[in-house]
Amino acid sequence: MIVALAGGVGGARLAVGLAAVLPPERLTVVVNTGDDFEHVGLAICPDLDTVMYTLARLNNPELGWGRADETWSFMETLQALGGETWFRLGDRDLAVHVMRTAALARGERLSDITRTLTQRLGIAHAVVPMSDDPVRTVVVTHEGELPFQDYFVRRRCEPAVSGFRFEGASSAGAPDALRSIMGSRVDAVVVCPSNPFVSIAPMLGVAEIRDWLARRTFPVIAVSPIVGGEAVKGPAAKMMRELGVDASASGVARYYGSLVDAWVIDQRDAEAEPEIAALGKRVRVTDTLMTATAKSAALATAVLELASEVRRA
Ligand code: FO1
């Protein structure tokens, strides 16, 4: 079993690559829920939806979130009625939020609703939220604390960050679907090229996941989210600079420390290989830009080969 830890766009793309090379029974994608929030009366789970839509080939490539072929009649009408429109909900996307909100209101678990939605969207591989309990990322900035979507969307990631809190994490448990995997044989965990602070760290905020990785008997392979000193998408490099973490492939490797056993870095960062190797990590240098499914599959293959090398070592 390969378990992938995935956040937004980078996580979704590598999940597609892993799903292309692994049968459903050998891959579970665990997704960040720290971005989730209640908005206009709806339970919104952005990273679950980004992973789900991307695996179903329904994602909107221009926006990097929401669905393709979208229409915006709901938003136009909401605007006309003076409703909140800073967070845009497309008409097709809305159906998922309405179904999820109704199911949660009936007391269903987020992991069960996610399984139903992925099945209805024709996704064969398992997509599991990091917890069925609410965890909310709060961004600590020099202007004070901001709920994640206020920071990310309303403020467009502009305030300088000084830290993050994951509200609810200390009492959040892993979903049963993940607990059963954590209790059985795992071949490797893949840390996808997602934002270390707001996509991966919230998952490590769930004690069962953190402890499972700390006591692991399998390799953890990470793909660097920083290529050439920048994030492929999103505020990761800006956050690193604001937090004093070197915004480079080696800076990320140092930041993750003992959580990761081996790194896949981009060919643009080949000069970082010796530095990361000096940390005691195996390193694979390849093209990590997932601009097409075939490239995501090739990267997934490189990750799995590196995992086998580490297991044999
Ligand atoms: N990101 C934006 O920058 N603007 C939006 O209006 C927006 C709406 C939105 C609706 C549904 C959804 O699933 C995601 C949405 N996102 C939007 C992205 C969202 O902020 C995610 O949390 C980020 O992609 C980070 O993962």
Side-chain angles (χ1 to χ4, degrees):
M1 173 62 78
I2 301 295
V3 176
L5 304 184
V9 175
R13 287 182 182 158
L14 185 53
V16 164
L18 289 164
V21 300
L22 292 168
E25 62 275 9
R26 289 209 56 222
L27 173 65
T28 298
V29 183
V30 178
V31 181
N32 169 46
T33 60
D35 291 9
D36 296 4
F37 73 138
E38 286 67 37
H39 181 63
V40 295
L42 296 171
I44 312 281
C45 302
D47 280 354
L48 277 170
D49 289 348
T50 296
V51 169
M52 192 168 70
Y53 288 148
T54 307
L55 283 171
R57 303 292 195 278
L58 291 171
N59 61 299
N60 185 315
E62 288 77 43
L63 290 175
W65 48 268
R67 283 187 67 146
D69 308 322
E70 192 54 279
T71 54
W72 302 93
S73 302
F74 167 71
M75 288 307 292
E76 286 159 20
T77 311
L78 190 63
Q79 171 92 29
L81 292 170
E84 278 192 272
T85 55
W86 59 273
F87 192 83
R88 298 173 51 68
L89 298 171
D91 299 331
R92 297 182 188 282
D93 189 29
L94 197 54
V96 166
H97 305 309
V98 167
M99 278 188 71
R100 176 182 288 124
T101 303
L104 286 170
R106 289 195 300 272
E108 277 188 49
R109 298 179 303 182
L110 182 58
S111 48
D112 292 326
I113 303 156
T114 302
R115 186 174 51 253
T116 301
L117 287 169
T118 50
Q119 284 168 348
R120 300 271 169 84
L121 288 172
I123 297 168
H125 293 81
V127 176
V128 180
M130 70 190 203
S131 178
D132 279 329
D133 306 308
V135 178
R136 297 288 176 267
T137 297
V138 174
V139 184
V140 184
T141 79
H142 300 302
E143 300 175 16
E145 296 194 343
L146 291 171
F148 179 79
Q149 295 299 342
D150 274 61
Y151 164 80
F152 190 89
V153 180
R154 203 202 286 263
R155 299 297 307 279
R156 310 175 69 79
C157 307
E158 169 262 327
V161 304
S162 51
F164 305 91
R165 285 196 299 108
F166 307 122
E167 257 167 23
S170 56
S171 53
D176 289 348
L178 182 52
R179 279 195 180 126
S180 63
I181 289 168
M182 294 197 287
S184 59
R185 175 190 157 79
V186 166
D187 298 298
V189 164
V190 178
V191 177
C192 294
S194 303
N195 186 308
F197 311 107
V198 293
S199 292
I200 304 299
M203 292 193 245
L204 305 177
V206 177
E208 283 172 86
I209 297 176
R210 184 173 62 247
D211 296 344
W212 172 60
L213 293 172
R215 291 195 311 270
R216 66 184 179 273
T217 58
F218 46 80
V220 173
I221 315 296
V223 176
S224 177
I226 300 293
V227 173
E230 270 310 319
V232 177
K233 184 171 177 42
K238 175 177 183 286
M239 290 178 171
M240 291 176 81
R241 287 190 286 274
E242 291 161 357
L243 294 168
V245 177
D246 179 29
S248 65
S250 41
V252 175
R254 279 193 298 276
Y255 170 76
Y256 274 110
S258 62
L259 175 76
V260 173
D261 301 305
W263 280 92
V264 179
I265 64 174
D266 192 80
Q267 51 209 8
R268 258 142 288 193
D269 302 298
E271 79 285 345
E273 181 185 4
E275 208 175 330
I276 300 173
L279 299 172
K281 311 296 177 187
R282 276 177 185 269
V283 185
R284 181 82 174 260
V285 182
T286 186
D287 179 356
T288 65
L289 292 188
M290 297 178 275
T291 49
T293 303
K295 294 195 73 185
S296 297
L299 179 57
T301 302
V303 167
L304 296 175
E305 284 170 358
L306 186 53
S308 304
E309 277 176 40
V310 173
R311 270 200 307 276
R312 279 197 304 271

